[in-house]
Amino acid sequence: MNGAQSLIQTLVNCGVDTCFANPGTSEMHLVAALDTVKGLRPVLCLFEGVATGAADGYGRVAGKPAVTLLHLGPGLANGLANLHNARRAATPVVNIVGDHATNHLQYDALLTSDIVGFARPVSSWIHETRSAGLAASDAARAVQAARAAPGGIATLILPADAAWNAAERAAERLPDIGPEIVGADTIEDVAKLMSNGKKTAMLLRGSGLFGKGLEAAGRIHAKTGVRLTCDTFAPHAEVGAGYVPVERIPYFGEQVTAFLAGTEQLIMVGSKPPVSFFAYPDKPSWCVPATCELVYLAHPHEDSVTALQNLADALGAPRETSARVALQLPDLPAGSLNSLSVAQIIARLTPDHAIYADESNTASLPLLMTLARARPHTHLPLAGGSIGQGLPLAVGAALAAPDRKVICPHGDGGAAYTMQALWTMAREKLDVTTVIYANRSYAILNYEMFRVGVAAVGENARAMLDLHNPEMNWVQIAGGLGVEASRATTAEEFAAQYESAMKHRGPRLIEAMI
Ligand SMILES: Cc1ncc(C[n+]2csc(CCOP(=O)(O)OP(=O)(O)O)c2C)c(N)n1
């Protein structure tokens, strides 16, 4: 066996089963090993930002890392923005980045670069493999690092000679690091605080927003009436009918301040105190009331689920909460197509347990409001603010959960960053329905221009926020990348096309002319 084979076999031994790849010459032995070693599904992505965003979507849904295969420094650099998003989401991801053979580096050939320098800002763990014999143990350590609570980006750099030279054997999976159990003293302290009659809110993130964690939060609410909240871009949440209701904190800073007004205690569960997304002249960045006490039940690296369960028990909460979201589906609208009618149609027609890879941007408000009471679903938003994530996220989510419909509501501006994801959806026959909000604009930036205090917007500035001239044709773009697509200009057209997409498997794209 060579180093590449020992590395791939080790990834498989560690439970990694999906590889989002865009390889080059320095990764050819790794590519060849995808045939000789069984168990790692290779998925070709036409741009590295698709590969890294897909790894994020996969990791958020599967709860374990996928691996990316990237070509030296420039390949990694192309994937950085979505690694930034994945880092913000605390998604476990393993990057394997090829490098020149060790003896070639001295010649400073064209693709030589500072790979560690590119990797550092997004990685919680970086390592350069020194020889083929060490590739297996380095891969096992990379998986362990990615899985370390709460989840991180592990980047392993593999010189070409460490891939092609002989290796002895693969390595086995290493034990998980964390999550740490929150101590009994902390549980007791928080239980006392929750019984002191003060106006209290809980800010949930990570495993507190789905499965057993969300159930335990519901028990605590049933006993104490605590307000359950999550931040605008909570990376993974179970939402809709039958789930415990959680209030989503709004986007703009002053809305967050109003939302939290009067809160005397804010209990963090795997979260940080909310701040405004951007700074604005004369507006505060800090959104928590000055007199509000900040309490940490669980830090992100700690076990939120057990902490919530132990807190519920300490409070004497009922075994289950009866406070559940009631199903409330909107009627199908008629007439004009806009972000509200699109949201109503999506909420009405999407089946149970769909996954939303959501980059709906300015269309998100009506969507989130209607989905809050729609059929049960998983919500995966843009976690790090770097647009161009929704389509890749949908690719990864669809591969992690092949039996679930994936819906990708997406701004046209953001979708243009990583439209190559459509090709991977077509090639892998992924069950993703993409809805492009074709407003021909960077609409949010029009608000932001006003909010940062720009008084006069001239022709040049306006042109920087406008996507007419020429207009992107998403039906042609999708068709050119192998995805069946259609355009809707009225609510009736959109409903008919969306209904058809829900009835069939496979990738579809609807360009919604809002
Ligand atoms: C990587 C990156 N580049 C630029 C931006 C700045 N930005 C934020 S929103 C936006 C436009 C989004 O347009 P679109 O997706 O069409 O949504 P809309 O605002 O029209 O709803 C841009 C360019 C960003 N957030 N991330």
Side-chain angles (χ1 to χ4, degrees):
M1 120 177 338
N2 62 25
Q5 290 164 321
S6 78
L7 181 145
I8 301 288
Q9 183 63 60
T10 301
L11 292 175
V12 173
N13 294 351
C14 295
V16 178
D17 56 20
T18 307
C19 173
F20 298 103
N22 191 276
T25 308
S26 39
E27 295 79 39
M28 286 297 111
H29 282 82
L30 287 160
V31 171
L34 294 169
D35 279 316
T36 51
V37 178
K38 299 294 168 215
L40 188 61
R41 178 176 180 172
V43 179
L44 181 60
C45 301
L46 300 186
F47 174 64
E48 292 85 347
V50 175
T52 54
D56 185 2
Y58 179 95
R60 283 198 225 177
V61 172
K64 64 175 190 175
V67 62
T68 68
L69 179 57
L70 306 171
H71 187 47
L72 302 103
L76 172 63
N78 274 346
L80 285 183
N82 275 335
L83 287 173
H84 160 84
N85 285 325
R87 183 180 81 86
R88 283 291 175 187
T91 305
V93 175
V94 175
N95 298 314
I96 304 292
V97 184
D99 196 4
H100 286 312
T102 329
N103 67 348
H104 193 59
L105 284 174
Q106 61 185 311
Y107 304 117
D108 195 29
L110 286 191
L111 271 164
T112 308
S113 69
D114 179 3
I115 303 179
V116 172
F118 284 131
R120 185 164 288 123
V122 295
S123 303
S124 60
W125 183 94
I126 306 173
H127 186 74
E128 294 173 89
T129 293
R130 296 294 174 199
S131 74
L134 295 172
S137 66
D138 289 348
R141 291 196 300 130
V143 176
Q144 184 187 45
R147 294 180 62 94
I153 316 291
T155 302
L156 179 62
I157 300 161
L158 191 79
D161 51 340
W164 69 52
N165 283 337
E168 198 188 323
R169 61 180 175 85
E172 295 303 319
R173 181 169 159 187
L174 294 166
D176 281 343
I177 299 170
E180 290 296 312
I181 297 292
V182 173
D185 291 356
T186 302
I187 303 291
E188 215 174 283
D189 291 349
V190 177
K192 261 191 220 137
L193 284 171
M194 295 204 71
S195 315
N196 64 11
K198 289 193 176 165
K199 198 172 166 203
T200 305
M202 201 170 243
L203 181 54
L204 300 157
R205 191 179 168 88
S207 54
L209 284 171
F210 53 89
K212 290 179 189 162
L214 183 58
E215 284 299 308
R219 291 176 60 203
I220 295 166
H221 170 80
K223 175 70 181 181
T224 64
V226 65
R227 193 176 186 197
L228 299 180
T229 71
C230 69
D231 66 75
T232 324
F233 300 103
H236 180 175
E238 280 179 344
V239 182
Y243 287 124
V244 170
V246 175
E247 294 176 68
R248 194 177 288 270
I249 294 180
Y251 172 70
F252 288 121
E254 56 272 35
Q255 297 172 325
V256 184
T257 304
F259 180 93
L260 291 173
T263 306
E264 295 169 289
Q265 303 178 133
L266 184 62
I267 299 176
M268 255 61 69
V269 184
S271 58
K272 295 190 295 193
V275 292
S276 79
F277 202 88
F278 286 108
Y280 301 96
D282 308 322
K283 289 197 170 87
S285 294
W286 184 254
C287 300
V288 179
T291 52
C292 178
E293 191 181 345
L294 298 174
V295 183
Y296 290 83
L297 173 65
H299 291 290
H301 73 288
E302 293 175 325
D303 184 342
S304 291
V305 176
T306 308
L308 287 163
Q309 287 171 335
N310 289 346
L311 179 61
D313 291 344
L315 288 162
R319 294 310 309 161
E320 248 202 59
T321 176
S322 55
R324 307 263 164 198
V325 174
L327 183 66
Q328 194 183 317
L329 293 177
D331 291 334
L332 279 184
S336 87
L337 193 61
N338 50 51
S339 56
L340 178 60
S341 50
V342 168
Q344 289 166 332
I345 293 163
I346 291 177
R348 176 91 208 173
L349 299 178
T350 306
D352 277 7
H353 300 298
I355 300 171
Y356 289 80
D358 178 7
E359 195 177 312
S360 52
N361 218 323
T362 50
S364 65
L365 199 59
L367 187 66
L368 290 174
M369 279 170 62
T370 42
L371 288 185
R373 294 171 182 283
R375 296 187 183 89
H377 61 273
T378 297
H379 186 254
L380 314 176
L382 175 63
S386 179
I387 65 171
Q389 193 193 23
L391 289 166
L393 205 63
V395 167
L399 279 156
D403 298 333
R404 298 170 69 181
K405 269 273 179 216
V406 176
I407 314 298
C408 184
H410 216 305
D412 52 356
Y417 285 57
T418 44
M419 53 173 72
Q420 307 90 331
L422 294 167
W423 182 87
T424 301
M425 290 178 195
R427 177 185 250 216
E428 301 292 329
K429 301 184 178 51
L430 303 180
D431 196 10
V432 178
T433 298
T434 300
V435 174
I436 299 290
Y437 292 95
N439 62 2
R440 313 295 194 213
S441 170
Y442 285 164
I444 182 79
L445 298 184
N446 288 290
Y447 297 105
E448 297 288 21
M449 186 75 99
F450 164 76
R451 286 174 56 81
V452 294
V454 175
V457 180
E459 205 183 317
N460 286 342
R462 236 190 314 274
M464 291 300 101
L465 315 182
D466 177 71
L467 301 183
H468 295 89
N469 186 28
E471 292 194 12
M472 286 182 276
N473 183 324
W474 282 95
V475 177
Q476 287 181 353
I477 291 168
L481 292 166
V483 170
E484 186 182 337
S486 54
R487 177 177 286 176
T489 52
T490 63
E492 288 84 348
E493 282 173 16
F494 183 77
Q497 293 168 18
Y498 194 80
E499 190 168 29
S500 157
M502 292 304 102
K503 283 198 180 130
H504 296 93
R505 281 188 65 83
R508 287 279 191 103
L509 181 142
I510 305 174
E511 183 177 31
M513 308 300 291
I514 62 166

